[in-house]
Amino acid sequence: MITVTLEKKVALTHDVFELHYKLPDTISMQAGQFFTFILPWIWGRAYSALEIRDDIVVLIIKRWWESDGGRGWSIALCDAQVWDEFKLVGPAGHFVLQNTTVNKLFLGTGTGLVPLYNMILEGLKNTSQKYQLVFWVRNMQDMFYLDEFAKLKEKYPDTFYYHLMVSRSEASGMIKKGYVTDFLSDKVVDEYDEYYICWAPA
């Protein structure tokens, strides 16, 4: 178990926050793994890591209001103030990027983007294969990380591709309206050998 300090908090949407925690030392992890926060009123709550930058681990967490079924841990983390301390364990988890040289398709919604983005960042460093991300949310105001996707595309124009979707509101620009099943034609599916999927059970 280690103690981390919240160093930076960025509101990505009205209820999704990018949280930067300072680690007591540098830690290595496999792309896609998670850390478990130990909070006083529960045993633990796991959250995937977006990336580790030297001695900073970055997470993206959705603040679930109690009226929407939230149980307190996301509220505690998202409402925390800079310099607040938390105890956590990890990294852990088997949902990790495979060391293969094949085209990979990543499907995620909301904060399900987090482990996928971590895998994409790691994988793009050493691949000539195609990495396609399909990211969708319910409404336009729930969309985030558009600038980061554009920067990745600029950096890896021949290997990184992304498709953005909203399911309930009108779309604009490069964001399309629909569901992931609208994107997954037989032709698209045939292009990929590995699939990484992270979204809410519903």
Side-chain angles (χ1 to χ4, degrees):
M1 185 181 299
I2 60 175
T3 299
V4 298
T5 304
L6 180 61
E7 188 174 78
K8 182 180 178 182
K9 179 168 69 172
V10 180
L12 301 178
T13 73
H14 70 287
D15 61 1
V16 174
F17 296 84
E18 182 183 280
L19 304 171
H20 297 232
Y21 297 93
K22 186 172 180 57
L23 300 163
D25 200 353
T26 56
I27 292 177
S28 62
M29 72 171 187
Q30 290 181 268
Q33 289 189 309
F34 61 83
F35 288 86
T36 299
F37 284 80
I38 307 302
L39 300 173
W41 58 95
I42 61 171
W43 169 243
R45 180 65 169 90
Y47 290 97
S48 298
L50 184 79
E51 61 177 316
I52 289 181
R53 306 168 186 166
D54 297 323
D55 61 347
I56 300 293
V57 60
V58 183
L59 285 77
I60 293 178
I61 297 177
K62 179 180 176 67
R63 187 190 192 281
W64 286 97
W65 301 89
E66 292 180 343
S67 59
D68 293 328
R71 298 181 181 178
W73 45 76
S74 70
I75 297 174
L77 295 174
C78 292
D79 288 0
Q81 301 300 308
V82 171
W83 308 126
D84 284 352
E85 293 185 342
F86 295 91
K87 295 186 181 301
L88 55 79
V89 295
H94 302 291
F95 180 53
V96 296
L97 184 69
Q98 301 300 300
N99 184 24
T100 55
T101 55
V102 298
N103 292 338
K104 303 177 192 287
L105 181 61
F106 300 85
L107 309 173
T109 185
T111 52
L113 169 71
V114 175
L116 306 182
Y117 190 80
N118 185 209
M119 294 179 196
I120 291 168
L121 286 179
E122 183 64 28
L124 285 173
K125 296 175 184 177
N126 301 294
T127 188
S128 60
Q129 306 304 313
K130 183 176 180 180
Y131 277 44
Q132 168 78 59
L133 169 67
V134 182
F135 178 54
W136 75 104
V137 293
R138 291 180 177 178
N139 302 296
M140 286 292 292
Q141 64 263 31
D142 299 321
M143 187 65 69
F144 58 90
Y145 257 45
L146 301 183
D147 289 344
E148 283 71 15
F149 299 148
K151 290 175 185 176
L152 272 183
K153 181 61 180 175
E154 183 177 356
K155 187 174 182 179
Y156 302 100
D158 300 322
T159 51
F160 177 64
Y161 302 84
Y162 64 103
H163 188 80
L164 308 176
M165 307 179 75
V166 293
S167 59
R168 295 191 180 180
S169 68
E170 291 303 315
S172 65
M174 66 179 299
I175 302 172
K176 309 300 181 184
K177 184 172 183 179
Y179 294 90
V180 68
T181 48
D182 300 324
F183 177 81
L184 296 177
S185 65
D186 291 341
K187 180 179 182 299
V188 169
V189 170
D190 287 343
E191 294 180 22
Y192 300 94
D193 299 287
E194 286 181 9
Y195 303 83
Y196 297 82
I197 303 170
C198 190
W199 57 53

